[in-house]
Amino acid sequence: MAFIAPLLLLGTLAVAVPIVIHLFGRRRAKTVKFAAIDFLFQSDRKTARSMQIKEKALLVVRALACLAIPLALAKPYTSCERSGPHVARGAQAAVFVIDDSFAAGVVTDGKTWLVRATAQARAILTQLGPEAEVAIIRASQNADTPTELTRDHLRLGDQLLAMEPSARPADTRRALEAAGLLLTASGHSQKTVFLFSLMAKTGFSAGPAPWGPQGPALTVVDVPVANRNNLAITKLVVEPDPASGARGIAITAEVLNASATPVKDTELALRLGSDVVARGRLDLAPFERKAKRFLAVLPKGSHGADIQVALPNDVLPIDDVRSARAVLRDDVRVLIVNGDARTTRRDDEIFYLETALRPGDRIDSGTTLRTITPDEISADALSEADVVVLANVPALPTARVTALTAWVKAGGGLFVTVGDHTDAAAYNRQMRELLPQSLGEIVDTMWGATPEERAARALHMEKFAVDHPAFAALSKNATELRDAQFSQIFLLAPDANDSARTVLARFTNGAAALVEAQVGVGRIALFTSTIDRDWNDLAIHPGYLPMMQQLIRHLARRQAPVDESEHLVGSTVTLPVAGMSKLEVRGPGNLATMFDGDRIAGRTTLRFSKTEQPGQYRVRTFDAANTSTTREDLGFAVNLNPLGSDLTPAPPSVLPASGSGGGTDKASTKQRIELWHAVAAVILLLLLAEGVLLQRA
Amino acid sequence: MQLDAASLARLGTMAVRARVLVQGALSGLHRASHRGSSVEFAEHKQYSPGDEIRHIDWKSYAKQGKYFVKQFDQESQLTVYLVLDASGSMNFAGGGASKLEYAATALASLAYLVSQQQDRIGLLIFGGSETVIPASGRVQLRDVMDALETANSSGGRGQNSASAALQRIAELNRRRRALVILASDLFDASGDAVPALQKLRAAGHDVSVLQTMAPDELTFPYDGMTLFESLETDHRLLANPAAIRAEYLRKMQAFLGNTKEQLQRAGLDYHLVETNKPVETTLRDLLIARNALMRGRSVGVRG
């Protein structure tokens, strides 16, 4: 043991003080010559003895305290062989780059890696000494970077103590670049970057070296990870599953075995809300990704459900769970204007359309149908509809066209089909605003054809806009529609403004079959043939039902019943706010963010970016009367970036070369261990013991 | 008039104190001095040749025509042994005069009283090893006073037991019954003082015990860290009196209670004397108690 300030050891002479006080105090005790002293001895032989012992103990305690105080002030230290990184004490600049990605939550011996890393960082901070200027840079993706070095080691220590794993993957190269920049501005000759990293290869992106040969010295602090065998759910896809009914969903979870050890029979649990509704098992080869598909039905009476798939907890529990949000769309209210009503139901113009939109007349089809005649079109009827189908109606009078046009411009969806009652000239004259394109002549391919020739002369649909939602439910080339035979169609007249409409499908003769256009914020679609079997046999082909359903939903702006877009931690989510006075987003941990006033007024959407925690985010809206409504359709789930789940160690070559900014005494293998803390602790204990003894004496 | 310890000290020699106390404070309590010889009629006995003719009761002969001779119980002077404890513990003076001074004064007063009645006085001082053989007369009284004075002025020392002195009295008075008055704190390390007193009583002697205690020994009024030093040995004890007061008082009361019970059971006349009490009060209590005892005994102090 040696001392930094050995002169202060002279203070140990103070040990004489308590001894003198003790002896002096002993003399100061009143002396009484007493006759019945035998009774005193009898009375308190034990007390007297223990008092003598306590008196001596007090003397010893005080003498030790007087010895220990100068000993502590002399700062004793010992030295041993260095086990950690070399740390030079004194004036210098240093940056701690600490991996606080979610992978830093990997658990070894009951402690997270980050806890052990920050403990080592605090030890190094102490060893650097008070003259060192230090900064801490977190290595998670997009983490804030300090702008200057500081000597406020107390604050840095607190910062290290408070550090917790973020929910982002590591971006160590960015952090090293930031450290290099920060040290460039420092005037110290000795510059060091202490890197505390899991050294997972996914944390090091490719790029130029963060510093050159004159850059700082790089010291990699080894914080070992005992077990890197991590299983993670890296993707969760929720899709509608029509086979399970309108509320049926299919959940596909992708599991990654990011280790060289095969995994057998690991269990996956699917939760809907708080209930586990399904379990599955998986075998995974080393570094294999495998998907597990679950089928489930959303509970009745709810418009949505939180979905979560979980693995049993392993070394990194945070990526053993992945969430999604499934939302049932509201029923589409369809107003069918029947232009060719018949008493025989099968001959009715809208028989096949009704059947397609409400298969089997099921209540849960997601569609509400109302059928009226052209004369019944009114503003009231329109206000209760999302989509209006004009099925082979004669040209409407101007008043109804005006009402319909205004309704479409406000966001309604209009589907126009033609037939024998369609007068092209009247349509073009009175209803032009409701058509994507003017109607032309009727083409009757069967005119004069013999029965044998009919098949050959029939037109077929082709050239589909396969990416359009109307055809999204069909197979790749919409084969379900290609066999349909069309005998009559309307041609469309050329328009000056062709760019305003989109042809979604064409016939084999090149004529447009299905055309769509945007009117105001509404949509209109024109089918150039009938929707019953008068001019074609499309209605009896398997593609008819999904096409009609999807087209109607598209026109009604109702999409698939699930949230297919996956939001990652830190991403921005766009939320509609039209007509709302306030909107609240409540994330995991019940942390709420309120948008109101200027942040929401007059806007149709807002961008929410406080998505730092994985989990479910719920949305509540408030109307003008401050009445809140939980918007299940707006809720969303945020998940981890799966990149960070792979803990496979990176080769040392990913690290930049250490620069020349290091210290001069690298050869030293001895490490100084300061002992004054222990001595101070002993002083405290001695003072405590003295207090106890005094109280009992 | 009552004289406290301070007043007594101002009175000068032991002889003066004794005279002041007996002639002043105790006047009227005892019978008049020079009452006559110490003979008491016991019974009649029919005359037989050889009996003293002067003891023939002629009045009985006149009535009954037979000769009867008067017989008497005690025809000699009373011997009073004063025994003073002059051991070191008697030097203690907490809350009044020292126990030795107080006891010596009380015994001197008794000596003066006895001397006034022409009885024989003897004195034994253990601790000082001073002995005055019983005798009567002024010279004897002066010797006793001198011995008490010397014992008082030289102070107590040692830890001599009372048993040796009491044994000596028993040996000196095998044939004569005596009144033994012991003034001591009875702090006897060997514990044989009480048995010795009981033995003396069993031998027919009349024994009065003045157990002399200082008030501070009975109340233990000390406070703060105190170093207690023994008056008889080199024992020392540093203690906080508050911590041991209750237990000390319990032990002391037990000791006093046991002593009193043992002595009274053996027929001894026991008095607990506190040194802050006027000496004449102590003497008065002793004499009253003696008078009460005399009603059933032939031997006693005729006060």
Side-chain angles (χ1 to χ4, degrees):
Chain A
M1 187 168 72
F3 298 92
I4 293 173
L7 274 179
L8 289 172
L9 284 176
L10 288 173
T12 52
L13 295 175
V15 72
V17 173
I19 296 170
V20 168
I21 290 174
H22 177 79
L23 296 175
F24 184 66
R26 195 179 171 86
R27 276 208 300 271
R28 281 187 59 187
K30 287 180 293 184
T31 302
V32 171
K33 290 191 178 296
F34 197 66
I37 199 162
D38 286 348
F39 291 91
L40 293 181
F41 277 113
Q42 283 175 27
S43 304
D44 205 35
R45 198 178 299 271
K46 280 183 189 168
T47 307
R49 193 177 302 130
S50 68
M51 278 187 64
Q52 281 178 346
I53 292 168
K54 279 174 194 164
E55 204 181 347
K56 283 174 185 164
L58 258 177
L59 174 64
V60 170
V61 164
R62 286 168 177 166
L64 286 177
C66 286
L67 270 178
I69 289 169
L71 198 66
L73 291 175
K75 294 203 172 178
Y77 67 88
T78 184
S79 50
C80 66
E81 289 298 319
R82 185 187 309 285
S83 60
H86 166 70
V87 180
R89 193 179 179 85
Q92 59 187 297
V95 174
F96 292 175
V97 174
I98 301 178
D99 184 350
D100 70 329
S101 66
F102 67 82
V106 66
V107 178
T108 303
D109 299 332
K111 280 185 182 173
T112 64
W113 178 89
L114 188 60
V115 166
R116 292 184 293 122
T118 50
Q120 283 210 31
R122 289 203 312 277
I124 292 175
L125 186 65
T126 308
Q127 291 171 42
L128 287 172
E131 293 176 19
E133 288 191 317
V134 184
I136 297 169
I137 294 181
R138 292 184 290 138
S140 61
Q141 206 175 56
N142 296 331
D144 293 336
T145 304
T147 54
E148 59 184 7
L149 302 163
T150 178
R151 285 185 183 159
D152 187 353
H153 288 202
L154 205 61
R155 186 168 60 80
L156 292 171
D158 290 345
Q159 209 174 320
L160 288 169
L161 271 176
M163 197 175 274
E164 288 190 352
S166 68
R168 294 173 184 250
D171 188 355
T172 313
R173 205 182 65 82
R174 178 201 60 81
L176 289 173
E177 276 177 1
L181 278 174
L182 207 54
L183 289 172
T184 305
S186 168
H188 290 286
S189 58
Q190 188 177 340
K191 301 171 184 176
T192 313
V193 173
F194 292 95
L195 176 62
F196 302 79
S197 172
L198 281 156
M199 298 298 292
K201 66 179 181 186
T202 53
F204 291 88
S205 54
W211 53 70
Q214 301 302 316
L218 176 66
T219 301
V220 180
V221 182
D222 182 29
V223 185
V225 181
N227 182 2
R228 289 178 182 257
N229 295 345
N230 185 35
L231 274 183
I233 302 176
T234 52
K235 194 173 179 185
L236 192 61
V237 177
V238 183
E239 301 163 302
D241 179 34
S244 303
R247 290 175 173 273
I249 53 172
I251 301 109
T252 307
E254 182 187 79
V255 182
L256 166 68
N257 175 18
S259 74
T261 312
V263 175
K264 286 198 70 73
D265 217 20
T266 190
E267 186 181 86
L268 275 166
L270 169 68
R271 283 178 187 275
L272 279 188
S274 57
D275 301 325
V276 175
V277 295
R279 292 183 194 278
R281 293 188 175 278
L282 267 184
D283 292 342
L284 290 149
F287 302 107
E288 185 187 16
R289 284 179 198 268
K290 197 180 263 184
K292 181 73 183 176
R293 186 176 166 88
F294 295 96
L295 298 178
V297 177
L298 296 182
K300 284 187 178 174
S302 67
H303 286 276
D306 295 337
I307 295 171
Q308 189 186 68
V309 177
L311 284 165
N313 279 355
D314 57 12
V315 291
L316 185 56
I318 193 170
D319 64 4
D320 296 333
V321 175
R322 209 159 181 90
S323 305
R325 175 88 186 147
V327 181
L328 275 179
R329 78 279 184 266
D330 293 332
D331 280 357
V332 177
R333 297 170 298 174
V334 183
L335 181 67
I336 303 175
V337 183
N338 191 348
D340 188 15
R342 303 286 180 88
T343 50
T344 306
R345 184 164 156 68
R346 207 168 51 180
D347 295 339
D348 196 286
E349 181 73 23
I350 62 169
F351 168 72
Y352 292 100
L353 180 63
E354 275 189 329
T355 308
L357 296 182
R358 296 189 61 183
D361 207 20
R362 287 168 63 156
I363 294 171
D364 61 351
S365 65
T367 311
T368 305
L369 300 182
R370 185 184 170 200
T371 306
I372 59 172
T373 62
D375 296 338
E376 293 172 319
I377 295 174
S378 65
D380 288 346
L382 292 175
S383 68
E384 295 176 359
D386 299 313
V387 177
V388 171
V389 180
L390 298 179
N392 192 18
V393 296
L396 298 173
T398 308
R400 296 199 174 99
V401 170
T402 305
L404 259 173
T405 306
W407 175 80
V408 170
K409 284 181 175 175
L414 179 67
F415 183 34
V416 181
T417 66
V418 295
D420 295 333
H421 293 184
T422 306
D423 177 354
Y427 263 57
N428 290 340
R429 188 173 57 250
Q430 295 169 217
M431 296 171 57
R432 179 62 189 86
E433 285 184 285
L434 298 176
L435 296 174
Q437 198 170 347
S438 303
L439 293 176
E441 295 176 351
I442 295 176
V443 175
D444 183 357
T445 59
M446 302 300 164
W447 190 80
T450 60
E452 293 79 24
E453 293 174 332
R454 291 180 72 87
R457 291 174 69 173
L459 295 172
H460 299 277
M461 289 173 76
E462 63 171 17
K463 295 184 180 175
F464 298 97
V466 289
D467 294 332
H468 192 272
F471 307 116
L474 302 178
S475 54
K476 189 177 178 184
N477 293 315
T479 49
E480 299 89 341
L481 296 173
R482 285 178 185 272
D483 293 339
Q485 296 182 357
F486 290 77
S487 58
Q488 289 186 59
I489 60 166
F490 257 106
L491 295 177
L492 299 179
D495 270 352
N497 187 12
D498 277 0
S499 60
R501 45 91 176 160
T502 308
V503 179
L504 304 180
R506 290 185 184 276
F507 292 113
T508 40
N509 65 352
L514 184 62
V515 186
E516 184 194 22
Q518 184 93 20
V519 176
V521 292
R523 289 170 178 162
I524 54 177
L526 171 65
F527 187 53
T528 56
S529 190
T530 59
I531 54 164
D532 64 357
R533 295 188 62 189
D534 286 355
W535 289 9
N536 59 65
D537 64 353
L538 176 66
I540 61 169
H541 281 79
Y544 180 77
L545 184 146
M547 187 184 88
M548 286 302 157
Q549 283 199 347
Q550 292 296 101
L551 181 62
I552 291 295
R553 289 189 200 293
H554 170 68
L555 292 173
R557 298 174 179 277
R558 299 291 196 273
Q559 300 301 317
V562 290
D563 173 20
E564 289 177 333
S565 58
E566 196 175 37
H567 303 291
L568 297 182
V569 167
S571 64
T572 300
V573 179
T574 304
L575 295 167
V577 293
M580 300 172 192
S581 63
K582 271 198 289 187
L583 180 138
E584 179 196 80
V585 182
R586 194 171 286 274
N590 224 14
L591 201 67
T593 308
M594 182 70 84
F595 296 90
D596 55 3
D598 292 344
R599 301 174 72 187
I600 198 170
R603 304 179 68 167
T604 54
T605 58
L606 68 81
R607 290 162 65 77
F608 178 77
S609 55
K610 292 185 177 175
T611 52
E612 288 304 319
Q613 293 298 321
Q616 299 286 356
Y617 286 71
R618 303 183 191 289
V619 177
R620 280 201 304 164
T621 60
F622 298 77
D623 59 15
N626 210 27
T627 308
S628 72
T629 309
T630 301
R631 291 288 300 270
E632 296 204 39
D633 57 325
L634 296 184
F636 56 94
V638 171
N639 285 301
L640 298 173
N641 186 335
L643 191 67
S645 294
D646 188 352
L647 305 180
T648 311
S653 59
V654 298
L655 292 170
S658 186
S660 59
T664 53
D665 57 344
K666 287 180 181 173
S668 170
T669 58
K670 289 281 183 183
Q671 182 181 5
R672 177 188 289 182
I673 300 171
E674 295 200 2
L675 301 173
W676 69 271
H677 308 88
V679 181
V682 169
I683 292 171
L684 282 177
L685 286 175
L686 287 169
L687 293 177
L688 191 69
E690 193 212 14
V692 171
L693 285 169
L694 276 177
Q695 202 167 19
R696 295 199 171 181
Chain B
M1 180 180 71
Q2 288 195 332
L3 298 173
D4 57 14
S7 308
L8 274 178
R10 287 195 296 272
L11 284 177
T13 63
M14 210 52 83
V16 178
R17 293 185 204 181
R19 195 170 64 244
V20 170
L21 283 168
V22 173
Q23 290 184 345
L26 296 180
S27 62
L29 187 66
H30 59 89
R31 291 178 222 162
S33 57
H34 312 294
R35 191 178 63 105
S37 61
S38 55
V39 286
E40 296 274 341
F41 169 75
E43 60 186 352
H44 283 106
K45 168 182 169 287
Q46 201 159 11
Y47 175 77
S48 61
D51 288 338
E52 290 266 359
I53 294 175
R54 64 189 176 112
H55 288 156
I56 291 173
D57 187 351
W58 295 107
K59 286 182 181 174
S60 295
Y61 173 75
K63 289 175 186 172
Q64 298 179 31
K66 291 182 180 175
Y67 297 105
F68 289 95
V69 177
K70 285 182 184 174
Q71 287 201 323
F72 302 90
D73 274 344
Q74 180 73 37
E75 296 179 357
S76 61
Q77 287 176 301
L78 175 65
T79 302
V80 178
Y81 273 100
L82 302 174
V83 184
L84 175 66
D85 178 358
S87 62
S89 66
M90 290 295 283
N91 273 340
F92 185 66
S98 80
K99 292 194 287 185
L100 180 61
E101 182 178 12
Y102 189 95
T105 306
L107 292 184
S109 305
L110 288 171
Y112 184 80
L113 190 61
V114 172
S115 168
Q116 294 296 303
Q117 295 177 170
Q118 307 299 319
D119 287 332
R120 290 149 51 87
I121 320 165
L123 175 68
L124 266 84
I125 299 174
F126 63 91
S129 303
E130 189 75 32
T131 307
V132 179
I133 302 300
S136 58
R138 286 180 180 277
V139 176
Q140 178 68 5
L141 176 62
R142 192 192 62 215
D143 290 348
V144 168
M145 290 297 180
D146 287 348
L148 287 171
E149 186 71 53
T150 307
N152 181 36
S153 58
S154 58
R157 53 190 174 279
Q159 53 178 150
N160 302 46
S161 169
S163 61
L166 298 171
Q167 180 66 29
R168 184 142 185 236
I169 292 170
E171 287 171 1
L172 290 172
N173 295 275
R174 277 195 191 133
R175 292 188 206 161
R176 296 175 77 102
R177 302 290 180 261
L179 169 62
V180 180
I181 300 176
L182 167 67
S184 167
D185 54 15
L186 295 179
F187 290 166
D188 182 15
S190 61
D192 51 5
V194 172
L197 285 166
Q198 289 170 331
K199 206 177 284 180
L200 206 60
R201 175 67 193 127
H205 299 291
D206 209 355
V207 184
S208 283
V209 177
L210 301 176
Q211 187 168 17
T212 311
M213 301 293 292
D216 287 359
E217 288 173 328
L218 299 176
T219 57
F220 203 64
Y222 305 104
D223 207 356
M225 284 305 289
T226 309
L227 181 65
F228 294 98
E229 290 182 349
S230 173
L231 288 161
E232 296 181 346
T233 62
D234 56 355
H235 289 169
R236 300 165 78 195
L237 174 68
L238 184 65
N240 180 3
I244 59 174
R245 179 176 292 114
E247 182 63 13
Y248 166 82
L249 292 177
R250 198 181 64 75
K251 294 266 183 196
M252 177 58 78
Q253 290 304 322
F255 163 70
L256 295 173
N258 281 343
T259 306
K260 180 178 180 180
E261 188 192 344
Q262 287 178 26
L263 295 178
Q264 288 185 336
R265 196 188 303 144
L268 277 81
D269 178 29
Y270 171 86
H271 300 270
L272 175 65
V273 175
E274 293 181 45
T275 57
N276 60 345
K277 223 163 78 171
V279 182
E280 59 270 35
T281 307
T282 302
L283 294 175
R284 187 183 296 123
D285 292 345
L286 174 68
L287 296 174
I288 290 169
R290 296 292 329 154
N291 287 338
L293 281 172
M294 277 176 58
R295 283 197 288 273
R297 295 185 190 170
S298 57
V299 177
V301 173
R302 291 167 295 167

